[in-house]
Amino acid sequence: MVKQIRPPGLWLNIEHDEFYTQHNLSMRSFVLSVSKSVIVDYISSPEVAFLRSVSQQFKATETKLVFRFLEKEETEPSTNQNYGSLLDNLTFIKTFASGILVPKGYIWPVDKDSYLLPSTLVVQNAHKEGLEVFGSDFINDITFSYNYSYDPIAEVLNFIDNDAFSVDGVLSDFPITPSAAIDCFAHISKNASGPEKPLIISYNGASGDYPSCTNLAYTKAISDGVDVLDCNVQMTKDGTPICLSSVNLMDSTKVAQTSFSSFTTTITEVQTGSGIFTFNLTWEDISSLTPAISNPYSNYRLSRNPKSKNAGKLVSLSDFLSIAKEANSLSGVLIIIEHAPFLVKVGLSITDAVLDALSKAGYDNGTTPRVMIQSTNSSVLKEFKEKKKNYELVYRVDENIRDASDATIEDIKKFATSVVINKESIYPQNKAFVIGATDIVTRLRKNNLPVYAEHFDNECMAQAWDFFADATVEINSFVMGAGIDGVITSFPQTAASYRKNRCLKYKNAPSYMRPVEPGGLMQILTRDDLPPALAPYPVLTESDVAESPLPEVTASSTNGETTATTSPNGQPKIATCIVLSNLAVLLVTILLL
């Protein structure tokens, strides 16, 4: 291994020495033999007897002996003491070792709900004895404390960059993460600035930490360092524009557990399946509802911040604009408008409501942060272009594409000044493996259309295997590899931290801060392990973006029997109407508990 790989350092971990001895096999002899031909930097073992048996031979060498602590209740075989009691006798450990390797929970314990408890004095006590301290169990793709918001770099930093102590090293299944944390992220000032790009745009506020589009999600996003705060505008029955992640209240509130459950209906022009829609309830009704945090990866038993799963209050667009205006750190707001053609049919003009709210909030005077209007409907953006020419109009492509024709790009430029595309339109995936890269970002940017990619989550299952279960690796690959202009994220703090990291200033980026090679992991798979080939994504055409102008609002109402077979952006798609049974509604209720 040493001859082939030539590692910069070598750590041998020796376990089960007592077992091998019982079978007339000597780990001691093996280690002493290896050390004659190979430089061994560290030797660790959870067995006192083994380390004591080799301590004299390595006393005058540069090799460091490290006593490895297992779980506190487990028994160390040679002393017959549990590891918890040995932790209280570090003076004894110092007689045969120069360091200790402890599970991270020895240093930062967590409670039964996976939230951090106060740190212990293990590091300080060990350092007083002259022992180095190494933490173990740093693994990106398992659940760790909710305090870290699924950001493994944030976890490592809590062990090396706090006001009380720092460990001397960490043991990780994903060394790319602590390498970047130590070199690029540690000891960065909170007031440090980074490059302007990528622009950090929130996704329903800091929806990874609090229920989407609540006051808490928005204030958290601002404190995390977001540049642009987003509001996905929905309309209420009484014509109030509000911020909500979905037109279906069942997606983000506990409405199914209230008397409003009787409003459950199916409107295929809005979505497939039943829902309780905002335009069927008044703002007074909706504001009384309890928010529910989004858990998009619950199938993998990954939950978001359970202690705050129903925290915060829903906000109107007016409330949102007030919150944004008071935040000096923001560079702008993103107003998202969908379902406009349908809402016209029920007598609601979402475009007029948004323009009115922006005007009343003082966003027309030219001194406030920039206003970005986003929609999948070209007709919406064209209407805003006719009425207001100082807003940035953002066209969102709501399907995975591999390219866009020249004529399509020229059409987009007529009504939009930037574009939002899915991550897979940039790095296509097959069974969570990146299979290559498109040049759609380059083509759009050459046509003076900034590109914002959506959307970035921290949970390990949100990323392709190629990104090593580390959200920062993914962001870096899209920014430095694909050249996107902005990220749309549920966890703005991770993106803000990335933008401040010192490695972005290096002339030559270290290996752990270089973008991944698209398709790199696929190349090492055996033929039997390769997933079946997928058909290429389509090319965006002129007909995909072309739409008729928005009709004028007429007084009408929906009776829940609309059966349109077009998608919300007006493009023909296969639509299926599924009426939820009472059992399905009950299931939604249980999932939101």
Side-chain angles (χ1 to χ4, degrees):
M1 185 274 287
V2 172
K3 289 179 180 178
Q4 292 180 17
I5 299 177
R6 300 183 182 278
L10 182 62
W11 183 309
L12 296 182
N13 182 59
I14 307 300
E15 299 189 19
H16 314 298
D17 175 61
E18 185 178 57
F19 169 80
Y20 288 121
T21 299
Q22 293 170 0
H23 290 75
N24 297 319
L25 296 170
S26 175
M27 292 302 292
R28 179 179 182 277
S29 298
F30 165 74
V31 169
L32 294 177
S33 175
V34 167
S35 65
K36 293 177 181 179
S37 57
V38 174
I39 297 176
V40 181
D41 300 276
Y42 297 91
I43 298 173
S44 64
S45 177
E47 299 181 44
V48 171
F50 172 76
L51 290 176
R52 294 183 76 178
S53 72
V54 299
S55 60
Q56 289 301 315
Q57 283 73 16
F58 290 102
K59 193 171 185 179
T61 70
E62 294 184 2
T63 301
K64 296 181 179 181
L65 302 184
V66 179
F67 180 60
R68 181 175 187 174
F69 283 81
L70 303 182
E71 295 303 321
K72 292 182 178 181
E73 64 277 4
E74 291 190 46
T75 300
E76 194 283 318
S78 55
T79 64
N80 205 32
Q81 298 182 52
N82 63 42
Y83 288 95
S85 63
L86 287 172
L87 190 65
D88 297 328
N89 195 358
L90 293 176
T91 302
F92 168 64
I93 304 298
K94 178 61 178 175
T95 62
F96 58 85
S98 61
I100 59 174
L101 175 63
V102 299
K104 62 187 181 184
Y106 274 47
I107 301 169
W108 279 106
V110 296
D111 62 19
K112 61 181 180 62
D113 297 318
S114 293
Y115 287 91
L116 286 178
L117 294 170
S119 62
T120 67
L121 296 175
V122 167
V123 176
Q124 295 92 322
N125 292 339
H127 283 167
K128 286 179 182 179
E129 294 292 341
L131 291 165
E132 289 186 302
V133 182
F134 303 92
S136 65
D137 300 341
F138 288 86
I139 305 172
N140 292 2
D141 57 356
I142 64 171
T143 301
F144 44 99
S145 172
Y146 292 114
N147 298 76
Y148 303 123
S149 299
Y150 289 101
D151 184 349
I153 281 186
E155 180 184 38
V156 174
L157 289 176
N158 202 33
F159 286 79
I160 65 172
D161 185 6
N162 63 66
D163 296 332
F165 63 85
S166 172
V167 298
D168 299 283
V170 297
L171 181 68
S172 173
D173 288 23
F174 295 84
I176 189 173
T177 297
S179 295
I182 293 167
D183 186 15
C184 309
F185 291 82
H187 308 293
I188 298 288
S189 170
K190 292 182 179 180
N191 298 322
S193 60
E196 293 183 358
K197 293 183 180 180
L199 190 71
I200 302 170
I201 305 171
S202 65
Y203 183 76
N204 301 318
S207 55
D209 294 303
Y210 290 101
S212 299
C213 301
T214 58
N215 60 329
L216 294 182
Y218 286 132
T219 55
K220 179 67 164 57
I222 293 169
S223 66
D224 285 347
V226 75
D227 297 315
V228 177
L229 201 64
D230 75 303
C231 171
N232 199 337
V233 180
Q234 313 297 341
M235 294 296 291
T236 67
K237 183 177 181 180
D238 52 347
T240 302
I242 66 173
C243 300
L244 207 64
S245 61
S246 168
V247 68
N248 182 4
L249 290 160
M250 296 171 73
D251 292 338
S252 56
T253 73
K254 298 176 70 174
V255 66
Q257 298 171 249
T258 71
S259 59
F260 298 121
S261 60
S262 60
F263 283 82
T264 302
T265 187
T266 301
I267 305 175
T268 56
E269 195 171 356
V270 175
Q271 69 170 44
T272 299
S274 295
I276 301 173
F277 301 104
T278 60
F279 48 76
N280 285 334
L281 298 179
T282 67
W283 172 230
E284 182 179 1
D285 296 333
I286 294 172
S287 62
S288 68
L289 297 176
T290 300
I293 200 167
S294 170
N295 283 305
Y297 308 101
S298 57
N299 287 345
Y300 303 100
R301 298 185 179 181
L302 297 177
S303 300
R304 291 177 170 176
N305 195 9
K307 282 188 176 180
S308 299
K309 64 181 180 180
N310 300 123
K313 296 180 180 179
L314 302 177
V315 299
S316 65
L317 176 57
S318 176
D319 297 331
F320 166 84
L321 293 173
S322 296
I323 293 171
K325 205 168 187 181
E326 293 174 1
N328 296 328
S329 60
L330 289 180
S331 64
V333 293
L334 174 67
I335 309 300
I336 303 169
I337 298 176
E338 300 297 345
H339 310 299
F342 170 80
L343 290 170
V344 167
K345 297 179 182 180
V346 296
L348 295 170
S349 173
I350 188 172
T351 54
D352 287 345
V354 167
L355 285 168
D356 182 60
L358 288 169
S359 178
K360 288 179 178 178
Y363 278 75
D364 286 340
N365 58 20
T367 62
T368 54
R370 67 174 173 175
V371 176
M372 303 166 69
I373 306 293
Q374 174 187 305
S375 182
T376 57
N377 294 112
S378 60
S379 57
V380 168
L381 300 180
K382 289 176 181 177
E383 183 162 317
F384 271 89
K385 186 172 184 177
E386 292 174 0
K387 296 182 177 181
K388 288 288 178 182
K389 299 186 181 296
N390 60 329
Y391 292 163
E392 179 179 342
L393 303 179
V394 186
Y395 182 62
R396 176 176 176 265
V397 181
D398 64 348
E399 61 180 334
N400 293 327
I401 59 173
R402 72 175 186 272
D403 201 354
S405 68
D406 291 339
T408 304
I409 294 175
E410 288 301 316
D411 278 355
I412 292 174
K413 290 169 63 177
K414 294 175 182 177
F415 59 81
T417 50
S418 56
V419 178
V420 170
I421 57 178
N422 294 326
K423 293 186 299 182
E424 286 198 44
S425 294
I426 302 170
Y427 290 133
Q429 296 181 23
N430 187 354
K431 300 295 185 181
F433 289 98
V434 173
I435 58 176
T438 69
D439 64 350
I440 184 65
V441 174
T442 301
R443 284 176 44 74
L444 291 171
R445 295 188 77 243
K446 281 185 177 178
N447 282 274
N448 298 316
L449 289 170
V451 178
Y452 311 123
E454 69 171 9
H455 78 273
F456 291 80
D457 285 335
N458 282 5
E459 290 93 342
C460 60
M461 299 310 299
Q463 300 129 28
W465 303 120
D466 303 66
F467 303 122
F468 305 110
D470 186 334
T472 297
V473 175
E474 181 184 40
I475 292 173
N476 186 59
S477 295
F478 276 86
V479 173
M480 303 305 292
I484 62 172
D485 297 278
V487 297
I488 301 173
T489 174
S490 307
F491 297 87
Q493 187 171 31
T494 299
S497 176
Y498 163 76
R499 199 169 57 184
K500 291 180 180 180
N501 90 79
R502 66 174 62 87
C503 290
L504 293 178
K505 300 177 182 179
Y506 292 173
K507 185 176 181 180
N508 296 309
S511 59
Y512 39 83
M513 280 302 292
R514 295 173 191 158
V516 302
E517 178 188 356
L521 281 189
M522 288 283 286
Q523 295 176 14
I524 64 174
L525 294 181
T526 65
R527 182 181 298 273
D528 292 339
D529 292 329
L530 287 171
L534 294 179
Y537 293 141
V539 173
L540 193 68
T541 64
E542 294 172 271
S543 62
D544 293 325
V545 301
E547 290 182 7
S548 301
L550 284 177
E552 295 293 328
V553 173
T554 58
S556 62
S557 61
T558 179
N559 59 9
E561 297 179 355
T562 305
T563 56
T565 57
T566 57
S567 68
N569 72 349
Q571 306 311 315
K573 292 184 178 179
I574 299 174
T576 306
C577 175
I578 303 174
V579 180
L580 287 180
S581 66
N582 291 334
L583 178 61
V585 174
L586 176 60
L587 176 60
V588 172
T589 302
I590 293 172
L591 289 174
L592 288 174
L593 285 177

